[in-house]
Amino acid sequence: MKILVAVKRVIDYNVQIRVKADNSGIETDNVKMSMNPPDENAVEEAIKLKTSGVVSEVVVVSIGLEKSQDIIRSAMAMGADRGILVKTDQMLEPLAVAKTLKAIVEKENPDMVLLGKQAIDYDCNQTGQMLSALLDWPQGCFVSRLGVKDQTITISREIDEGLEELEIQLPAVVTCDLRLNEPRFASLPNIMKAKKKPLDIISIDNLSVDTNSRVKYIKVEEPPVRKGGAMVADAKELIQKLKYEAKVI
Ligand code: AMP
């Protein structure tokens, strides 16, 4: 069995996000970038399946700038076998990413595609679902447990009422939740070994994918600064404030 894992390079989750001075977007120059956190869970799960003998090959793919090779190498240091970078300087929307991933799926023929449930930069939570629709494959989203048996996977996914258990036929698209596992740290010898693992670089222009934007960003602004809270002596004072100051009751 072969697994394709999609990993996105995003601003590191510890970094304080800054809006560009001209309000055209988010500042990414000289900002620490890392693998999108749920994508690390996707890589970890694929490697666990490989270690348990269920999976024979784990291929990692990222779509983005030349620099995205760093997160592909990180995934290979965790244990992925090889990597593919689909190079583009354009900032792609989830539909364009899903179409590009479909083109890679058609080249690679994996049995399962693992993605993160959501990229923490734009919080879209769309790519996995769109990829599943484009491929006409079943999908399991926000997966917090994954079991594989022959050509069937069993998953648990969080829904409003609790945990939903599903059985899905492969090939399938699975998006991973942070609860799925604890991603490993790559050891120094594995980081060194990852430098020698194969990494193919493809230009997005060679995939004949429509990457046109459907969404236009008009303006990006900082959220308003929150006003400090105040302590009230009792419920009577709270009601007074809500009624006459906040005017919400
Ligand atoms: P999103 O729909 O943007 O929230 O992203 C969901 C998931 O799609 C991410 O966690 C990644 O696994 C995958 N993904 C999104 N953008 C890219 C990209 N440029 N390259 C590779 N994978 C991506």
Side-chain angles (χ1 to χ4, degrees):
M1 184 181 293
K2 178 172 172 181
I3 296 190
L4 183 72
V5 188
V7 295
K8 185 174 190 188
R9 189 173 188 266
V10 295
I11 295 181
D12 188 271
Y13 68 95
N14 284 308
V15 169
Q16 176 76 42
I17 302 292
R18 279 180 294 120
V19 171
K20 282 186 181 164
D22 62 1
N23 294 103
S24 62
I26 302 295
E27 194 59 77
T28 52
D29 288 347
N30 303 318
V31 171
K32 182 172 187 271
M33 308 291 283
S34 312
M35 193 189 307
N36 182 48
D39 304 1
E40 289 187 329
N41 298 88
V43 174
E44 174 65 32
E45 199 62 18
I47 294 161
K48 275 167 78 177
L49 288 170
K50 189 172 174 205
T51 314
S52 65
V54 179
V55 164
S56 52
E57 191 181 26
V58 176
V59 182
V60 173
V61 57
S62 191
I63 303 153
L65 301 173
E66 178 107 41
K67 292 177 187 163
S68 306
Q69 287 179 65
D70 60 0
I71 60 156
I72 299 178
R73 292 276 173 213
S74 303
M76 294 197 289
M78 287 171 75
D81 298 292
R82 61 188 173 88
I84 302 169
L85 168 65
V86 181
K87 215 174 74 172
T88 174
D89 292 339
Q90 223 184 315
M91 200 197 73
L92 298 184
E93 291 166 6
L95 182 59
V97 175
K99 286 179 178 171
T100 310
L101 289 175
K102 177 175 183 261
I104 299 297
V105 167
E106 283 162 358
K107 276 178 186 283
E108 291 287 334
N109 286 316
D111 299 279
M112 186 164 28
V113 183
L114 291 183
L115 303 94
K117 67 164 183 179
Q118 190 165 349
I120 61 166
D121 48 5
Y122 290 88
D123 280 337
C124 291
N125 175 13
Q126 295 168 4
T127 309
Q129 296 86 329
M130 287 176 170
L131 177 64
S132 141
L134 291 171
L135 290 169
D136 199 18
W137 286 8
Q139 60 177 289
C141 295
F142 327 125
V143 167
S144 55
R145 189 191 59 81
L146 173 66
V148 183
K149 196 163 179 282
D150 304 323
Q151 280 304 299
T152 308
I153 56 172
T154 51
I155 59 156
S156 303
R157 58 189 297 269
E158 198 167 312
I159 54 169
D160 286 347
E161 294 79 21
L163 278 182
E164 185 179 53
E165 307 274 330
L166 294 177
E167 212 175 77
I168 298 175
Q169 290 300 306
L170 293 176
V173 174
V174 170
T175 77
C176 303
D177 189 270
L178 293 170
R179 292 177 187 82
L180 181 59
N181 53 42
E182 188 72 40
R184 69 195 65 193
F185 285 105
S187 64
L188 190 58
N190 286 344
I191 294 174
M192 300 312 285
K193 269 191 226 159
K195 292 188 178 173
K196 296 207 178 92
K197 290 187 179 178
L199 197 172
D200 289 338
I201 301 181
I202 308 171
S203 166
I204 201 160
D205 302 333
N206 296 339
L207 294 176
S208 313
V209 173
D210 167 13
T211 55
N212 289 330
S213 297
R214 267 74 177 171
V215 177
K216 188 173 164 205
Y217 284 86
I218 298 167
K219 198 174 185 188
V220 178
E221 285 181 320
E222 299 272 0
V225 181
R226 288 184 65 174
K227 293 193 191 118
M231 296 293 283
V232 290
D234 51 25
K236 195 172 163 209
E237 190 188 343
L238 175 64
I239 288 168
Q240 289 286 318
K241 281 188 179 292
L242 290 175
K243 210 168 182 174
Y244 300 111
E245 285 182 27
K247 297 192 170 70
V248 291
I249 57 171

